[in-house]
Amino acid sequence: MKLSTKGRYAVMAMVDLAQASQERPVPLGDIASRQEISLSYLEQLFAKLRRAGVVKSVRGPGGGYKLGRGLNETRIADIMLAVEEPVDVTRCQGKAAGCLESGRRCVTHDLWDELSRHIHLFLSDVTLEDVLERRVMGLSMGRRTASATLEAAAE
């Protein structure tokens, strides 16, 4: 599976914005420079993020962008979906018909569809605050350990 630059850059820019926008709006040019992302590309992404309410724009001198919600309320999945980056690792990419010429689904469709769901659930569980506080490392391992502990206790 490969995420496009659209989703990766949107998340990178949002984390940068979260770090830089403590009290003042941040110009996109500053984010573009720090993250080495094209300004015109960021403008397209932030237009979508603004429409989704993930960021707010401030016009005029000293203008730029601010977070639309709190750090702990902005989920990575919200950012990905705002820039129209669905996480779908199936070959048919969500088409009603299957991925095979006959219109059927391939034999591994359910496997990839379930992986897509797991990725979405993971990204829905991680906030900008988690990324900034570096609480992402081991997050899935911690859940697995907690889950194993619960299963052992149930036996």
Side-chain angles (χ1 to χ4, degrees):
M1 181 197 91
K2 181 178 179 184
L3 293 174
S4 76
T5 56
K6 192 187 308 184
R8 284 186 299 131
Y9 285 2
V11 172
M12 287 169 54
M14 287 294 296
V15 171
D16 185 291
L17 176 66
Q19 285 177 317
S21 71
Q22 300 301 332
E23 300 191 15
R24 62 172 183 82
V26 178
L28 279 185
D30 292 357
I31 296 171
S33 176
R34 283 190 296 267
Q35 299 303 317
E36 300 178 2
I37 302 171
S38 157
L39 177 59
S40 62
Y41 196 58
L42 273 184
E43 288 170 343
Q44 294 171 33
L45 293 176
F46 270 70
K48 292 178 180 185
L49 291 165
R50 186 182 49 75
R51 281 193 296 273
V54 179
V55 297
K56 294 178 183 177
S57 62
V58 178
R59 296 179 184 232
Y65 285 89
K66 297 176 84 170
L67 295 176
R69 305 178 217 149
L71 289 173
N72 64 341
E73 298 169 349
T74 306
R75 306 203 173 283
I76 302 303
D78 299 337
I79 298 167
M80 300 289 285
L81 292 172
V83 297
E84 300 160 3
E85 179 75 297
V87 179
D88 184 358
V89 299
T90 62
R91 185 169 147 189
C92 56
Q93 298 290 302
K95 296 176 191 161
C99 51
L100 302 176
E101 294 261 335
S102 64
R104 293 178 305 125
R105 290 183 171 173
C106 67
V107 68
T108 58
H109 178 86
D110 292 339
L111 169 70
W112 304 125
D113 191 45
E114 188 63 21
L115 176 59
S116 297
R117 273 195 272 290
H118 279 280
I119 293 169
H120 178 75
L121 288 172
F122 174 75
L123 295 176
S124 295
D125 208 24
V126 178
T127 65
L128 280 177
E129 183 177 64
D130 293 329
V131 175
L132 287 171
E133 298 294 325
R134 300 194 182 277
R135 292 190 300 237
V136 179
M137 292 297 293
L139 199 56
S140 61
M141 188 56 124
R143 285 192 194 104
R144 197 174 311 136
T145 303
S147 178
T149 303
L150 289 174
E151 288 174 11
E155 292 176 354

